[in-house]
Amino acid sequence: MEQVTFLVVDDAIFMRTVLKKLLTEAEFVVLGEAGNGLQAIEMAKALQPDIVTLDITMPEMNGLEAIEKILEVSPNSKIIMCSAMGQHSKVVEAIKRGAKDFIVKPFEKTRVLQAIYNVMNR
């Protein structure tokens, strides 16, 4: 199987670090990371990752606003939303806008891997 590549997007450096560690331990390739939706669009355009993990709540441009723009510049990328507990309505909105799955913070390794396999098999 080919290497699956990722762009990790979260305004919290700690959350990006946790997710990057989890992904690299599972032998995935993290191409880059971004701290807001605007950076995510630019990086998705340049890197064309297989999967973008996208936080909902971020400064400058939130994850919901970024979904469609990321898919415009990187149409083959699959988006997995990262949300805090209690953001169910925003997750539903994200799926409507084109996200393929979601994971809840704090991240559980089995759920993160399940979401990745879910979107890769679609």
Side-chain angles (χ1 to χ4, degrees):
M1 187 174 164
E2 280 184 44
Q3 286 285 311
V4 178
T5 59
F6 283 80
L7 172 61
V8 176
V9 184
D10 197 302
D11 60 324
I13 292 170
F14 173 74
M15 295 313 288
R16 291 198 310 259
T17 303
V18 168
L19 197 49
K20 269 194 334 193
K21 183 176 187 291
L22 199 153
L23 293 170
T24 53
E25 284 176 354
E27 299 188 6
F28 294 114
V29 177
V30 178
L31 298 175
E33 54 184 277
N36 64 54
L38 293 173
Q39 290 175 350
I41 295 162
E42 291 303 312
M43 293 188 78
K45 184 176 183 178
L47 301 172
Q48 299 293 305
D50 296 314
I51 297 177
V52 178
T53 62
L54 187 61
D55 188 21
I56 292 178
T57 308
M58 295 182 291
E60 297 190 47
M61 179 185 284
N62 70 40
L64 291 176
E65 295 168 326
I67 293 169
E68 289 144 323
K69 291 177 175 68
I70 289 170
L71 293 174
E72 279 174 26
V73 300
S74 186
N76 295 321
S77 294
K78 308 274 194 277
I79 297 176
I80 297 175
M81 299 307 292
C82 303
S83 73
M85 294 297 277
Q87 290 187 313
H88 183 76
S89 64
K90 289 182 179 175
V91 169
V92 170
E93 178 66 23
I95 301 292
K96 286 180 184 171
R97 292 183 183 207
K100 299 296 181 198
D101 207 334
F102 69 95
I103 49 180
V104 176
K105 299 175 188 177
F107 301 122
E108 289 180 29
K109 184 175 184 175
T110 53
R111 175 63 190 122
V112 172
L113 295 176
Q114 178 188 17
I116 292 165
Y117 296 126
N118 285 349
V119 301
M120 290 310 297
N121 292 323
R122 285 189 181 171

